[in-house]
Short mmCIF file of all heavy atoms in Angstrom, two decimals:
data_model
loop_
_atom_site.label_atom_id
_atom_site.label_comp_id
_atom_site.label_asym_id
_atom_site.label_seq_id
_atom_site.Cartn_x
_atom_site.Cartn_y
_atom_site.Cartn_z
N SER A 370 130.58 349.28 170.29
CA SER A 370 132.02 349.07 170.21
C SER A 370 132.33 347.71 169.58
O SER A 370 133.24 347.59 168.74
CB SER A 370 132.66 349.15 171.60
OG SER A 370 132.66 350.47 172.08
N LEU A 371 131.57 346.70 169.96
CA LEU A 371 131.75 345.36 169.38
C LEU A 371 131.45 345.40 167.89
O LEU A 371 132.19 344.82 167.08
CB LEU A 371 130.82 344.37 170.09
CG LEU A 371 130.85 342.93 169.59
CD1 LEU A 371 132.21 342.30 169.86
CD2 LEU A 371 129.74 342.12 170.24
N SER A 372 130.38 346.10 167.51
CA SER A 372 130.00 346.18 166.10
C SER A 372 131.06 346.92 165.29
O SER A 372 131.46 346.47 164.20
CB SER A 372 128.65 346.90 165.97
OG SER A 372 128.29 347.05 164.62
N PHE A 373 131.55 348.05 165.80
CA PHE A 373 132.59 348.80 165.09
C PHE A 373 133.86 347.96 164.92
O PHE A 373 134.46 347.93 163.85
CB PHE A 373 132.94 350.09 165.84
CG PHE A 373 131.90 351.18 165.70
CD1 PHE A 373 131.53 351.94 166.80
CD2 PHE A 373 131.33 351.46 164.48
CE1 PHE A 373 130.58 352.95 166.68
CE2 PHE A 373 130.39 352.48 164.34
CZ PHE A 373 130.02 353.22 165.45
N ALA A 374 134.28 347.28 166.01
CA ALA A 374 135.50 346.47 165.95
C ALA A 374 135.36 345.33 164.96
O ALA A 374 136.29 345.03 164.19
CB ALA A 374 135.83 345.93 167.34
N ARG A 375 134.21 344.68 164.95
CA ARG A 375 133.97 343.60 163.99
C ARG A 375 134.00 344.13 162.55
O ARG A 375 134.52 343.46 161.65
CB ARG A 375 132.62 342.96 164.28
CG ARG A 375 132.09 342.02 163.22
CD ARG A 375 133.01 340.84 162.97
NE ARG A 375 132.38 339.89 162.05
CZ ARG A 375 132.99 338.84 161.51
NH1 ARG A 375 134.25 338.59 161.79
NH2 ARG A 375 132.34 338.03 160.69
N ASN A 376 133.50 345.34 162.34
CA ASN A 376 133.55 345.93 161.00
C ASN A 376 134.99 346.11 160.52
O ASN A 376 135.31 345.83 159.36
CB ASN A 376 132.81 347.26 160.98
CG ASN A 376 131.30 347.09 161.06
OD1 ASN A 376 130.77 346.00 160.86
ND2 ASN A 376 130.61 348.18 161.36
N PHE A 377 135.87 346.57 161.41
CA PHE A 377 137.28 346.71 161.05
C PHE A 377 137.91 345.34 160.80
O PHE A 377 138.64 345.16 159.82
CB PHE A 377 138.05 347.42 162.18
CG PHE A 377 137.97 348.92 162.13
CD1 PHE A 377 137.02 349.61 162.87
CD2 PHE A 377 138.86 349.65 161.36
CE1 PHE A 377 136.95 351.00 162.83
CE2 PHE A 377 138.81 351.03 161.32
CZ PHE A 377 137.84 351.71 162.06
N GLN A 378 137.65 344.39 161.68
CA GLN A 378 138.24 343.05 161.55
C GLN A 378 137.82 342.37 160.26
O GLN A 378 138.58 341.63 159.63
CB GLN A 378 137.85 342.20 162.76
CG GLN A 378 138.40 340.78 162.76
CD GLN A 378 137.44 339.77 162.16
OE1 GLN A 378 136.31 340.10 161.79
NE2 GLN A 378 137.89 338.52 162.06
N SER A 379 136.58 342.60 159.86
CA SER A 379 136.05 341.89 158.69
C SER A 379 136.56 342.45 157.37
O SER A 379 136.35 341.84 156.32
CB SER A 379 134.52 341.93 158.72
OG SER A 379 134.03 343.24 158.61
N VAL A 380 137.24 343.60 157.39
CA VAL A 380 137.76 344.18 156.15
C VAL A 380 138.76 343.22 155.48
O VAL A 380 138.56 342.82 154.32
CB VAL A 380 138.39 345.56 156.38
CG1 VAL A 380 139.13 346.02 155.12
CG2 VAL A 380 137.32 346.57 156.76
N PRO A 381 139.87 342.82 156.15
CA PRO A 381 140.79 341.89 155.48
C PRO A 381 140.17 340.52 155.22
O PRO A 381 140.51 339.86 154.23
CB PRO A 381 141.98 341.79 156.44
CG PRO A 381 141.44 342.21 157.77
CD PRO A 381 140.38 343.22 157.47
N VAL A 382 139.27 340.08 156.08
CA VAL A 382 138.59 338.79 155.85
C VAL A 382 137.80 338.83 154.55
O VAL A 382 137.86 337.91 153.73
CB VAL A 382 137.66 338.45 157.04
CG1 VAL A 382 136.85 337.19 156.73
CG2 VAL A 382 138.46 338.25 158.32
N SER A 383 137.08 339.92 154.32
CA SER A 383 136.28 340.04 153.10
C SER A 383 137.13 340.33 151.88
O SER A 383 136.90 339.78 150.80
CB SER A 383 135.23 341.13 153.28
OG SER A 383 134.29 340.78 154.26
N LEU A 384 138.12 341.24 152.03
CA LEU A 384 138.97 341.59 150.91
C LEU A 384 139.74 340.39 150.37
O LEU A 384 139.93 340.25 149.16
CB LEU A 384 139.98 342.66 151.31
CG LEU A 384 139.49 344.09 151.50
CD1 LEU A 384 140.63 344.99 151.92
CD2 LEU A 384 138.86 344.62 150.23
N ILE A 385 140.18 339.53 151.26
CA ILE A 385 141.05 338.42 150.86
C ILE A 385 140.33 337.08 150.95
O ILE A 385 140.13 336.40 149.94
CB ILE A 385 142.33 338.41 151.73
CG1 ILE A 385 143.05 339.75 151.63
CG2 ILE A 385 143.26 337.27 151.31
CD1 ILE A 385 144.15 339.95 152.66
N GLY A 386 139.90 336.70 152.14
CA GLY A 386 139.30 335.38 152.32
C GLY A 386 138.04 335.17 151.52
O GLY A 386 137.92 334.21 150.75
N VAL A 387 137.09 336.08 151.65
CA VAL A 387 135.81 335.93 150.97
C VAL A 387 135.95 336.15 149.46
O VAL A 387 135.47 335.35 148.64
CB VAL A 387 134.75 336.89 151.56
CG1 VAL A 387 133.45 336.81 150.77
CG2 VAL A 387 134.51 336.58 153.03
N SER A 388 136.61 337.24 149.07
CA SER A 388 136.71 337.59 147.64
C SER A 388 137.49 336.55 146.85
O SER A 388 137.06 336.12 145.78
CB SER A 388 137.36 338.96 147.49
OG SER A 388 136.57 339.97 148.06
N PHE A 389 138.66 336.15 147.35
CA PHE A 389 139.47 335.18 146.62
C PHE A 389 138.77 333.83 146.53
O PHE A 389 138.84 333.14 145.50
CB PHE A 389 140.84 335.02 147.28
CG PHE A 389 141.76 336.20 147.10
CD1 PHE A 389 141.28 337.45 146.74
CD2 PHE A 389 143.11 336.06 147.30
CE1 PHE A 389 142.13 338.54 146.59
CE2 PHE A 389 143.98 337.14 147.14
CZ PHE A 389 143.48 338.38 146.80
N SER A 390 138.09 333.43 147.59
CA SER A 390 137.37 332.16 147.59
C SER A 390 136.21 332.18 146.62
O SER A 390 135.95 331.19 145.91
CB SER A 390 136.87 331.83 149.00
OG SER A 390 137.94 331.74 149.91
N LEU A 391 135.49 333.30 146.59
CA LEU A 391 134.37 333.42 145.67
C LEU A 391 134.84 333.39 144.22
O LEU A 391 134.22 332.74 143.36
CB LEU A 391 133.61 334.71 145.95
CG LEU A 391 132.39 334.98 145.06
CD1 LEU A 391 131.34 333.89 145.23
CD2 LEU A 391 131.79 336.35 145.39
N ALA A 392 135.94 334.07 143.93
CA ALA A 392 136.46 334.08 142.56
C ALA A 392 136.91 332.69 142.12
O ALA A 392 136.81 332.34 140.94
CB ALA A 392 137.62 335.07 142.45
N ALA A 393 137.41 331.89 143.06
CA ALA A 393 137.86 330.53 142.74
C ALA A 393 136.71 329.54 142.65
O ALA A 393 136.88 328.45 142.09
CB ALA A 393 138.85 330.06 143.80
N PHE A 394 135.55 329.90 143.18
CA PHE A 394 134.43 328.97 143.28
C PHE A 394 133.97 328.40 141.93
O PHE A 394 133.78 327.19 141.80
CB PHE A 394 133.27 329.66 144.00
CG PHE A 394 132.17 328.74 144.44
CD1 PHE A 394 132.42 327.44 144.84
CD2 PHE A 394 130.85 329.20 144.48
CE1 PHE A 394 131.39 326.59 145.26
CE2 PHE A 394 129.82 328.37 144.89
CZ PHE A 394 130.09 327.07 145.28
N PRO A 395 133.79 329.23 140.88
CA PRO A 395 133.40 328.64 139.59
C PRO A 395 134.42 327.64 139.07
O PRO A 395 134.06 326.59 138.53
CB PRO A 395 133.29 329.87 138.67
CG PRO A 395 132.99 331.01 139.58
CD PRO A 395 133.77 330.72 140.82
N GLY A 396 135.71 327.95 139.20
CA GLY A 396 136.74 327.02 138.75
C GLY A 396 136.72 325.72 139.52
O GLY A 396 136.85 324.62 138.94
N LEU A 397 136.57 325.80 140.84
CA LEU A 397 136.46 324.59 141.66
C LEU A 397 135.23 323.78 141.28
O LEU A 397 135.28 322.55 141.19
CB LEU A 397 136.39 324.98 143.14
CG LEU A 397 137.68 325.49 143.78
CD1 LEU A 397 137.39 326.09 145.16
CD2 LEU A 397 138.72 324.37 143.90
N SER A 398 134.12 324.48 141.03
CA SER A 398 132.88 323.78 140.68
C SER A 398 132.99 323.07 139.33
O SER A 398 132.52 321.94 139.17
CB SER A 398 131.71 324.78 140.65
OG SER A 398 131.50 325.36 141.92
N ARG A 399 133.61 323.74 138.36
CA ARG A 399 133.79 323.11 137.05
C ARG A 399 134.71 321.89 137.15
O ARG A 399 134.46 320.84 136.55
CB ARG A 399 134.36 324.11 136.05
CG ARG A 399 133.38 325.18 135.61
CD ARG A 399 133.90 325.94 134.39
NE ARG A 399 133.00 327.04 134.04
CZ ARG A 399 133.12 328.27 134.46
NH1 ARG A 399 134.12 328.60 135.28
NH2 ARG A 399 132.26 329.20 134.11
N ALA A 400 135.81 322.03 137.89
CA ALA A 400 136.74 320.91 138.05
C ALA A 400 136.07 319.73 138.75
O ALA A 400 136.24 318.57 138.33
CB ALA A 400 137.98 321.36 138.82
N ALA A 401 135.30 320.01 139.79
CA ALA A 401 134.60 318.94 140.50
C ALA A 401 133.55 318.30 139.60
O ALA A 401 133.36 317.08 139.62
CB ALA A 401 133.96 319.49 141.77
N GLY A 402 132.84 319.12 138.80
CA GLY A 402 131.82 318.59 137.91
C GLY A 402 132.39 317.68 136.84
O GLY A 402 131.73 316.73 136.40
N ARG A 403 133.63 317.97 136.39
CA ARG A 403 134.29 317.13 135.38
C ARG A 403 135.01 315.93 136.01
O ARG A 403 135.48 315.04 135.30
CB ARG A 403 135.33 317.96 134.62
CG ARG A 403 134.75 319.07 133.75
CD ARG A 403 135.82 319.59 132.79
NE ARG A 403 137.03 320.00 133.49
CZ ARG A 403 137.31 321.25 133.85
NH1 ARG A 403 136.43 322.21 133.61
NH2 ARG A 403 138.43 321.54 134.46
N GLY A 404 135.14 315.94 137.33
CA GLY A 404 135.90 314.89 137.99
C GLY A 404 137.39 315.07 137.89
O GLY A 404 138.17 314.12 138.07
N ASP A 405 137.84 316.29 137.61
CA ASP A 405 139.26 316.59 137.44
C ASP A 405 139.88 316.90 138.81
O ASP A 405 140.00 318.05 139.21
CB ASP A 405 139.43 317.77 136.49
CG ASP A 405 140.87 317.98 136.05
OD1 ASP A 405 141.78 317.45 136.72
OD2 ASP A 405 141.08 318.70 135.05
N ARG A 406 140.31 315.85 139.48
CA ARG A 406 140.83 316.01 140.84
C ARG A 406 142.12 316.83 140.87
O ARG A 406 142.32 317.65 141.77
CB ARG A 406 141.06 314.63 141.46
CG ARG A 406 141.56 314.66 142.90
CD ARG A 406 141.56 313.26 143.48
NE ARG A 406 142.30 312.33 142.64
CZ ARG A 406 142.16 311.00 142.70
NH1 ARG A 406 141.30 310.46 143.52
NH2 ARG A 406 142.89 310.23 141.91
N ASP A 407 142.99 316.62 139.91
CA ASP A 407 144.27 317.35 139.89
C ASP A 407 144.04 318.85 139.75
O ASP A 407 144.68 319.66 140.44
CB ASP A 407 145.14 316.84 138.75
CG ASP A 407 145.63 315.42 138.99
OD1 ASP A 407 145.61 314.97 140.15
OD2 ASP A 407 146.03 314.76 138.01
N GLU A 408 143.14 319.26 138.85
CA GLU A 408 142.85 320.68 138.68
C GLU A 408 142.19 321.26 139.92
O GLU A 408 142.49 322.38 140.34
CB GLU A 408 141.94 320.87 137.46
CG GLU A 408 141.51 322.31 137.20
CD GLU A 408 142.66 323.22 136.79
OE1 GLU A 408 143.80 322.74 136.62
OE2 GLU A 408 142.41 324.44 136.64
N PHE A 409 141.30 320.49 140.53
CA PHE A 409 140.62 320.91 141.75
C PHE A 409 141.66 321.18 142.85
O PHE A 409 141.63 322.23 143.50
CB PHE A 409 139.65 319.81 142.20
CG PHE A 409 138.84 320.14 143.41
CD1 PHE A 409 137.59 320.73 143.30
CD2 PHE A 409 139.31 319.87 144.70
CE1 PHE A 409 136.83 321.02 144.42
CE2 PHE A 409 138.57 320.16 145.82
CZ PHE A 409 137.32 320.74 145.68
N VAL A 410 142.58 320.26 143.03
CA VAL A 410 143.61 320.41 144.07
C VAL A 410 144.53 321.58 143.77
O VAL A 410 144.92 322.33 144.67
CB VAL A 410 144.41 319.10 144.21
CG1 VAL A 410 145.62 319.31 145.12
CG2 VAL A 410 143.53 317.99 144.77
N ARG A 411 144.87 321.77 142.49
CA ARG A 411 145.74 322.89 142.12
C ARG A 411 145.10 324.22 142.46
O ARG A 411 145.73 325.11 143.06
CB ARG A 411 146.05 322.83 140.62
CG ARG A 411 147.05 323.90 140.18
CD ARG A 411 147.09 324.04 138.67
NE ARG A 411 145.84 324.59 138.13
CZ ARG A 411 145.52 325.88 138.16
NH1 ARG A 411 146.34 326.77 138.72
NH2 ARG A 411 144.37 326.29 137.65
N ILE A 412 143.83 324.39 142.08
CA ILE A 412 143.13 325.65 142.37
C ILE A 412 143.01 325.87 143.88
O ILE A 412 143.27 326.96 144.38
CB ILE A 412 141.73 325.65 141.73
CG1 ILE A 412 141.83 325.61 140.20
CG2 ILE A 412 140.93 326.87 142.18
CD1 ILE A 412 140.50 325.41 139.50
#
């Protein structure tokens, strides 16, 4: 029951939290690598 409930709960977490963060990760990494603080904060 705990496993099934966690599977349901993790759907919106993965769809939104994990996916959107992962998609933003290359942009954040490039901005940080260039030292572009304003772009980093915007993203």
Side-chain angles (χ1 to χ4, degrees):
S370 289
L371 179 65
S372 177
F373 285 138
R375 168 61 173 171
N376 287 345
F377 276 95
Q378 180 267 356
S379 63
V380 170
V382 173
S383 294
L384 286 179
I385 304 168
V387 176
S388 296
F389 288 19
S390 301
L391 180 61
F394 193 33
L397 288 168
S398 298
R399 288 193 185 93
R403 294 194 306 263
D405 191 342
R406 182 171 54 199
D407 291 341
E408 178 67 4
F409 183 92
V410 171
R411 185 193 68 79
I412 295 172

